[in-house]
Amino acid sequence: MTPSPGSPPHPRDTDVRTGPTWKDAPYPVVVLDAKGTVADLNPPARLMLADHHDGGGPRGAVPAWLADAHRILTDEANVTPAVPPAAGAIGDRFFEAHPGPLTDEGVVWWLVEDTGRRRAETSLHRAREQAETRAMVSSTLLASLNVPRCTEVATQLAAEHLADAALLVLPPVGRRHTVTHALRGEPAKHTTRQFDARDVPGLAEALQGFPPVPARWIDPGALPEWVVPEGFGGPVGSVIVAPLPGHGVSAGALILLRAATERTFTPDEEAFARLFAARAGTALSAARLYSEQSAITTTLMRELLPPTLESLHGVDYAGRYRAASDHERIGGDFYDVHPGADASQETFVVLGDVAGKGLEAAVLTGKIRNTLHALLSLASDHQQVLTLLNGALLSSHHTRFATLVLASVGREGRRVRLRLTSAGHMPPLIVRADGRVEEAATHGTLVGALPSVTVRTAEEVLEPGETCLLYTDGITEARGGPLGDELFGERRLRQALVECAGMPGEAIVERVQMLAAQWLGGGGHDDMAVLAISAPRTAPAGAGEDLRRDT
């Protein structure tokens, strides 16, 4: 018989297959018998277990987590038919083990690899932690504008989140560096050292703002002793040196140390350390810039603040100043007292009010005070001083004007002789010993607005216990009262001075400032300045001869 075309030549040559089985699966499949012994494997499982074998156990043995899952399944098969899939690592790969039906031959475990998902979840979790840490680091570092405090916070955060110990090295001042170091869980400490930055690989470059040296290039055993803080646990196993970038210049360098018993820094950790260093550098630069500006402001403020007054050449002086805003210390009102070379020379006193308030008015105030100081040699001639000052203001870029009161003060026995000149300012008030309040007969035009200044000078004499009060319009124009819309006014000021008859100058200026503040309540106000020139009730030491000559 001739076989038909396409039919097998012999029945034995026919390979009857019912379809793919677990042995054909593309991922590992392991069959375990009731005792947990491997009964069968498919090729991927055989290859996987062979690669995982490290010589410490029988070849082809399943990992412990799979053996435990199999034991639980076989022990509780009749009680718990639905068992969640087991999961664990085989080498550097992760698998989920799904059991098949329990048969006489054992259990077929299907191993589905989960490495990619787990690594992605781990990376995502690490990225979230780093983002949270960066946000926390930024807010914590920028919360302080004090350079030492900022370095402390930076080293403590670095030791807590990045390494076992951290050092922050600031750029040198001369030949010495400020070093702040911290161990994990301990407070930061400051030291000042003199060293060669080239002894630490990458430190000299980091202090100059160059990119960091990879951690693998740094030999931990070659670090100098000062780098390893006291109390560091064991030898150093890994080091990172990262620059702290600042505003155009390097803010310093960050050194991270990890003990030999810990794992070395990974590339991801190195990248995170550089981000941390960048934020620390920004915070340090901001703190340093604030400190420099604060120092400049303090220096300038010291020159703009009114002086502290006291008794000079037998004459008592007292003053009070209050800026328009409570958060400001300077403004457009000012006063100065320039003592003569000795008691025979007149003391030059000036009180002024620049138009406006705040910083711009304070700048012009400083210019006027400096100009008057330069004109002290001409202080005896008030007209000439004001003319020269007027010319200086007209030739400047400032468009503001000012009002002034000049006083030349000299002691004659127990009396005090005054020459008072008002340039557009309220005339001084004189508080006599019997309670009378008199206005000095002086007036004139303001300075900085007209081509020339015209003034009239008045001469006054203070008897013992009498006071001449110079003040700015912030006192009389203080708006307040019961309805908050009434000026304090000159009438109330005069009445207050009547009650101050015989009081020391210090008490008078304090009383005037207090009454004006009470009148204001919580309302806004202009700058306020008050200055008192008083003849003491008692003759100063060494004035006996003057007193006899005067009488």
Side-chain angles (χ1 to χ4, degrees):
M1 183 177 71
T2 302
S4 62
S7 62
H10 195 278
R12 291 184 179 180
D13 294 334
T14 304
D15 185 11
V16 180
R17 300 179 63 90
T18 61
T21 66
W22 58 265
K23 291 186 178 182
D24 300 316
Y27 39 80
V29 179
V30 180
V31 180
L32 301 180
D33 61 17
K35 295 181 180 181
T37 305
V38 177
D40 204 351
L41 301 167
N42 71 343
R46 186 174 294 106
L47 181 62
M48 178 193 65
L49 294 179
D51 291 342
H52 175 58
H53 180 70
D54 56 5
R59 181 174 296 275
V62 297
W65 61 268
L66 182 56
D68 292 341
H70 180 76
R71 185 178 62 255
I72 294 174
L73 180 66
T74 54
D75 289 347
E76 301 180 2
N78 296 328
V79 180
T80 309
V83 178
I90 301 178
D92 59 351
R93 301 162 65 186
F94 292 90
F95 293 89
E96 284 188 356
H98 298 265
L102 184 62
T103 64
D104 294 339
E105 295 180 357
V107 178
V108 177
W109 288 94
W110 303 74
L111 304 182
V112 180
E113 187 168 1
D114 196 31
T115 305
R117 183 181 66 84
R118 288 189 176 230
R119 288 179 178 173
E121 289 179 349
T122 301
S123 298
L124 179 60
H125 179 69
R126 185 182 301 113
R128 287 176 176 172
E129 286 185 340
Q130 291 180 351
E132 293 174 358
T133 302
R134 286 196 298 269
M136 181 270 295
V137 165
S138 297
S139 60
T140 305
L141 288 174
L142 293 175
S144 175
L145 292 176
N146 177 275
V147 173
R149 177 56 183 162
C150 194
T151 58
E152 291 177 5
V153 172
T155 51
Q156 288 176 335
L157 290 174
E160 182 68 26
H161 297 282
L162 301 176
D164 298 320
L167 292 86
L168 196 152
V169 183
L170 295 181
V173 178
R175 296 184 177 181
R176 304 186 69 84
H177 296 261
T178 297
V179 180
T180 306
H181 63 271
L183 298 172
R184 179 175 297 175
E186 297 185 11
K189 299 179 181 179
H190 299 281
T191 58
T192 302
R193 297 180 178 275
Q194 184 174 346
F195 56 82
D196 189 348
R198 292 173 295 182
D199 293 340
V200 181
L203 180 58
E205 293 80 2
L207 290 174
Q208 296 178 22
F210 289 104
V213 174
R216 64 182 181 275
W217 291 6
I218 303 176
D219 180 10
L223 295 176
E225 293 183 359
W226 66 265
V227 175
V228 184
E230 183 178 355
F232 186 78
V236 179
S238 187
V239 184
I240 290 179
V241 179
L244 302 179
H247 297 155
V249 294
S250 173
L254 180 67
I255 303 177
L256 302 177
L257 306 178
R258 185 169 283 176
T261 55
E262 301 291 334
R263 59 185 175 85
T264 59
F265 291 106
T266 65
D268 183 62
E269 289 173 329
E270 285 193 62
F272 181 61
R274 289 195 290 271
L275 291 175
F276 178 94
R279 282 164 171 75
T282 300
L284 274 174
S285 295
R288 182 175 290 110
L289 181 61
Y290 175 82
S291 298
E292 292 174 355
Q293 292 179 341
S294 179
I296 294 172
T297 301
T298 300
T299 301
L300 295 176
M301 189 82 70
R302 190 182 301 118
E303 296 298 321
L304 293 175
L305 286 173
T308 301
L309 303 183
E310 56 186 10
S311 179
L312 293 171
H313 302 323
V315 181
D316 293 339
Y317 299 92
R320 287 286 186 276
Y321 175 77
R322 180 181 178 184
S325 299
D326 293 336
H327 63 277
E328 295 178 346
R329 299 178 61 193
I330 57 176
D333 289 6
F334 68 96
Y335 55 79
D336 273 315
V337 175
H338 303 281
D342 52 47
S344 64
Q345 301 293 321
E346 289 182 325
T347 295
F348 184 61
V349 179
V350 57
L351 178 140
D353 182 1
V354 173
K357 51 190 175 182
L359 182 59
E360 292 186 4
V363 171
L364 183 56
T365 294
K367 180 172 183 177
I368 293 175
R369 293 175 69 183
N370 290 334
T371 304
L372 290 174
H373 190 273
L375 297 174
L376 284 179
S377 59
L378 306 174
S380 59
D381 188 342
H382 292 182
Q383 175 70 57
Q384 187 176 10
V385 169
L386 292 172
T387 298
L388 293 174
L389 176 62
N390 186 64
L393 294 181
L394 289 176
S395 63
S396 71
H397 66 279
H398 295 283
T399 59
R400 297 172 183 267
F401 57 86
T403 63
L404 299 172
V405 174
L406 306 183
S408 293
V409 185
R411 177 84 188 199
E412 293 184 355
R414 297 189 62 186
R415 299 185 181 92
V416 173
R417 186 171 297 278
L418 304 174
R419 288 189 300 111
L420 302 169
T421 302
S422 171
H425 203 85
M426 292 83 66
L429 298 178
I430 299 174
V431 184
R432 299 298 183 185
D434 58 4
R436 289 179 295 116
V437 177
E438 301 175 354
E439 182 179 285
T442 177
H443 58 79
T445 56
L446 47 79
V447 294
L450 302 175
S452 61
V453 177
T454 303
V455 295
R456 176 184 177 184
T457 300
E459 294 190 4
E460 299 287 349
V461 175
L462 300 180
E463 298 293 339
E466 295 182 344
T467 297
C468 176
L469 188 74
L470 284 63
Y471 61 96
T472 61
D473 59 7
I475 299 294
T476 54
E477 295 181 2
R479 190 175 297 275
L483 300 179
D485 59 352
E486 189 176 356
L487 299 181
F488 185 70
E490 187 176 340
R491 182 180 61 82
R492 289 188 178 85
L493 176 60
R494 285 173 174 265
Q495 181 60 40
L497 293 178
V498 169
E499 299 170 358
C500 293
M503 295 173 58
E506 182 71 25
I508 293 177
V509 296
E510 185 175 349
R511 174 69 174 169
V512 171
Q513 284 275 33
M514 181 187 69
L515 291 175
Q518 290 177 346
W519 184 258
L520 284 167
H525 59 89
D526 198 357
D527 299 326
M528 298 180 181
V530 184
L531 187 148
I533 305 171
S534 303
R537 284 183 172 275
T538 58
E545 183 63 29
D546 293 335
L547 177 60
R548 287 191 296 271
R549 187 166 54 247
D550 182 63
T551 57

